[in-house]
Amino acid sequence: MRDLRLLFAASEVYPFAKSGGLADVAHSLPRALNRTCDVHVIMPLYQFIDHELFGIEAIGEPFDIIMGGVAYPVILYICKYEGMTYRFIYTPLLCDREFLYGSPQGEYEDNYIRFGLFNYAILEVLKREKYEIVHLNDWQCALLPLLIKDELTLKTKSLLTIHNLAFQGVFEKKVLTTLGIDEKYFTMDSLEFYGQVNFMKAGIAYADRITTVSPTYAKEILTSEFGCGLEGFLQYHSDKLSGIVNGIDTEHFSPSTDKMLILPYVDLRGKSVNKRAYMKEIQVKDPKKPLVVFIGRFTLQKGLEIFINALPDIALMACNIVILGEGEIQYHDALKVIAEKYDNIHLEFGYDEALSHRIYAASDFFLMPSLFEPCGLAQMIAMNYGSMPIVHSVGGLADTVHDYAAFYTKSQKGYGVVFNNPDSELFLNAVEKALLLYGTKTRFNKIIKHNMLCDFSWKESAELYIKEYENMREDAKYG
Ligand code: ADP
């Protein structure tokens, strides 16, 4: 497969730009794939990306992309970073923004032009560079399979990975003209979605293969509960859909080599040094109590309603609580009001990679009461850092966290405290159970030591992606 040239496209890639798990995946999956095939990663060159730091340089002459009869100037860039080749697309409308998709006040209104341009620019790269397969991620790249369809001489096959079906890129019908897309595609079996244009639907209709980020989520999105209106369309295309569980970058998220920690560690003694240091830093009154944490986006998806309802009761239990995140303003406000009432709650607003690592290392329990969770990476990171996840058994959480009651030393699975319905009472019970378990030190330690040794790397899942590419190659040969 070394001869297979793959272009991996995403709207965010760590360490250049990150708003969530997609950036982590777009960082670590291509690295795992690059052991078997020849991978280039492509993304927008946002204005805040440091050219000098990463050695990013322009290649070739600037050119125009014609979209909907309008010319947009584009420059292609490239860099080699940590053994990988990254390609970048610079076009002012897409890239000269403070944020990736929108400000705290809301999504940018011209995202359809911005990411429309991203798709057209990738198409141009495919025409110039002859990649056999393009691996697309989420709605921001999902128009491309439709554009490829119209390029009769282009033989590139496309695989679309859905990281979160809640974001589909839906816009008014009139954007078709700006996007230069023929009206003939405005039908139910193409990108039309209740009278609007849906980028993700175009990808589902025309990609050669579709994957999503866990086997359970692949089944869930075929139901009305999780399908976000696309369940019927996905059922229709289910023969090309499969679920491959995400991995984490076990080098970046490894407590034994993590430079962001006070002291990298391999055992519980080392972990407790990190906990003590962090407890001192935030001046906790009773640092010996178990530390329960939440790190994530403050959104409905992440179970913020459930969490906020339960938080005052959790605060009355024998524990300390740390919350790190940012998101919707009503959740900021509600958390602030509760945190002011309890001196065992420490609240950090913002996005801070280094701080998140220190909190993973310090924590004993990691809360994920998500309403839905395509895969989730945080629970796997937590387990590798010896923090036990407390999760609603949904999507990728169901695939990666197994209830501690079934703990079996010889298994390769990770264990945590699992509850089965997104409900504050059940969540509270789970936290109570977790704290009781913490009291039985020997059993608790045995489980977290086991979790720390579990392999959450990309090894197995990268092989499954390679199989997908092999199948696509075979189809190209015979189809
Ligand atoms: P998402 O749905 O947001 O992609 P994931 O669990 O897949 O959720 O990935 C979230 C990633 O972002 C993890 O690496 C997590 O540690 C990180 N993260 C989330 N919120 C913050 C924050 N406020 N500060 C630092 N890292 C964060």
Side-chain angles (χ1 to χ4, degrees), residues 18 20-21 24 296-297 302 324-325 350-352 356 360 376-378 381:
K18 171 168 167 175
D24 286 333
R297 292 181 287 119
K302 295 289 171 187
L324 167 65
Y351 192 96
D352 186 334
S356 77
Y360 281 115
L377 301 174
I381 301 171

Side-chain angles (χ1 to χ4, degrees), residues 192-307:
E192 192 256 334
F193 184 67
Y194 299 103
Q196 293 188 294
V197 168
N198 185 324
F199 275 45
M200 189 73 103
K201 196 161 173 252
I204 295 168
Y206 302 114
D208 296 290
R209 298 284 307 159
I210 307 163
T211 62
T212 186
V213 290
S214 69
T216 298
Y217 192 59
K219 287 189 205 127
E220 287 171 346
I221 56 177
L222 301 179
T223 67
S224 57
E225 195 183 345
F226 296 100
C228 304
L230 285 178
E231 58 277 7
F233 200 60
L234 282 162
Q235 281 165 25
Y236 182 76
H237 287 286
S238 59
D239 56 333
K240 57 178 184 181
L241 170 70
S242 60
I244 300 178
V245 73
N246 280 341
I248 56 170
D249 179 341
T250 43
E251 276 171 34
H252 183 66
F253 292 112
S254 164
S256 62
T257 53
D258 192 336
K259 294 198 177 62
M260 299 181 196
L261 303 185
I262 306 274
L263 177 77
Y265 60 93
V266 287
D267 57 18
L268 298 184
R269 200 180 313 152
K271 182 173 169 65
S272 67
V273 173
N274 283 277
K275 180 175 173 183
R276 272 204 302 279
Y278 183 61
M279 295 290 86
K280 198 165 170 205
E281 182 184 323
I282 61 169
Q283 298 180 341
V284 160
K285 255 202 213 141
D286 191 348
K288 291 231 163 75
K289 283 184 185 163
L291 177 62
V292 178
V293 307
F294 178 98
I295 300 174
R297 292 181 287 119
F298 297 158
T299 61
L300 186 68
Q301 176 201 337
K302 295 289 171 187
L304 262 284
E305 304 275 341
I306 296 168
F307 181 42

